[in-house]
Amino acid sequence: MQKNRFKLIALVFLVQFGVPGAIRLAAAQAKNAQYPAMAPVDEYLIPDENTEIALARSAAPASISNGAEVMVLGRKGFTTAVKGTNGFLCVVERSWGAATDAPEFWNPKIRSPICFNPQAARTFARIFLMKTKLVLEGKSKAEIVAATASALDKKELPPLEPGAMCYMMSKQQYLNDQGASWHPHLMFFVSGDAAKSWGADLPGSPIIAADDPEERTTILMVWVGNWSDGSPAPPVEH
């Protein structure tokens, strides 16, 4: 029973990153509340900038996040609040970091601190920053998908760099209504279909894979044992 519960939480979380349709459907059916439209912009904002900076930095250990650039969300998009020195980028992702068909795409409660390494900051993070501007301009989901595809096709967005990854180890993260803080983890971004070459989703493998067709990436997730502040995370029961 515990194994099934953790698997369901994992699948619901992965909906935020473009899991195939059958899993999305299962997650949607498990969800009671629905978010059919964007909430007022104020519900997505964090009024105090210092609070948002601290939350963004909590995505990774201080040895990484203290030297990272930090961006905060305003009414027109993300802007740099702290200049970095190590090439990392920390932000608090909102719900539209999800695939557009995710049931919580408009959930204003979602706060997902994430710290991208330099390769991901230069490439993968650019997609989220572009989606944010489109959302705040009032674009529809269909328009967001079309604009993202066009930017990728025209190479207005840079190609994913090898070694791109991120930290999501914040004890304060709220990833969705089912998983809430879920579990501290790392994510690796790989172009194309990379699940097989990483041995993901196999019995005993610690790697969970999700296809992200809108961003043309495979996302590979690995749980870690501690939160970013060094405190132990709840053990995963098998």
Side-chain angles (χ1 to χ4, degrees):
M1 184 64 71
Q2 280 282 26
K3 182 177 180 180
N4 291 338
R5 185 171 71 86
F6 276 104
K7 184 65 172 176
L8 176 60
I9 290 173
L11 295 182
V12 172
F13 170 70
L14 286 172
V15 168
Q16 304 297 338
F17 297 97
V19 180
I23 296 177
R24 288 197 193 101
L25 178 60
Q29 290 173 341
K31 185 179 186 305
N32 293 322
Q34 296 296 317
Y35 302 91
M38 186 175 179
V41 172
D42 284 346
E43 294 188 28
Y44 299 96
L45 301 178
I46 298 175
D48 180 68
E49 182 177 281
N50 289 331
T51 298
E52 184 159 0
I53 290 170
L55 183 58
R57 281 182 164 157
S58 72
S63 59
I64 296 168
S65 62
N66 282 351
E69 177 183 355
V70 181
M71 302 185 80
V72 299
L73 181 63
R75 293 184 175 276
K76 295 184 178 180
F78 280 92
T79 56
T80 298
V82 180
K83 292 184 178 180
T85 58
N86 62 4
F88 283 74
L89 169 65
C90 295
V91 302
V92 180
E93 281 196 342
R94 301 326 200 258
S95 54
W96 51 81
T100 55
D101 59 353
E104 296 187 48
F105 185 81
W106 295 121
N107 183 351
K109 298 191 294 293
I110 289 176
R111 300 286 186 270
S112 301
I114 186 167
C115 200
F116 299 98
N117 76 342
Q119 296 95 313
R122 291 190 293 262
T123 57
F124 190 82
R126 293 275 301 277
I127 300 175
F128 173 71
L129 296 176
M130 187 189 80
K131 286 177 69 178
T132 298
K133 289 186 177 181
L134 294 170
V135 164
L136 296 176
E137 289 170 1
K139 303 298 183 184
S140 68
K141 290 182 179 181
E143 289 172 323
I144 292 169
V145 171
T148 301
S150 176
L152 289 168
D153 289 339
K154 295 177 181 179
K155 303 193 184 307
E156 295 169 350
L157 288 167
L160 186 65
E161 290 187 25
M165 58 82 65
C166 72
Y167 292 79
M168 295 190 74
M169 298 173 60
S170 175
K171 191 184 292 185
Q172 292 78 46
Q173 64 191 5
Y174 188 94
L175 304 178
N176 56 48
D177 287 344
Q178 284 70 44
S181 60
W182 196 53
H183 204 281
H185 57 282
L186 309 177
M187 295 197 301
F188 302 85
F189 308 111
V190 183
S191 296
D193 184 359
K196 184 176 180 180
S197 65
W198 280 62
D201 298 329
L202 296 176
S205 173
I207 302 174
I208 303 170
D211 180 40
D212 185 350
E214 291 182 3
E215 299 175 346
R216 303 178 187 178
T217 302
T218 297
I219 297 175
L220 300 138
M221 185 182 310
V222 180
W223 288 344
V224 296
N226 293 324
W227 299 106
S228 62
D229 63 4
S231 61
V236 177
E237 299 183 34
H238 299 284

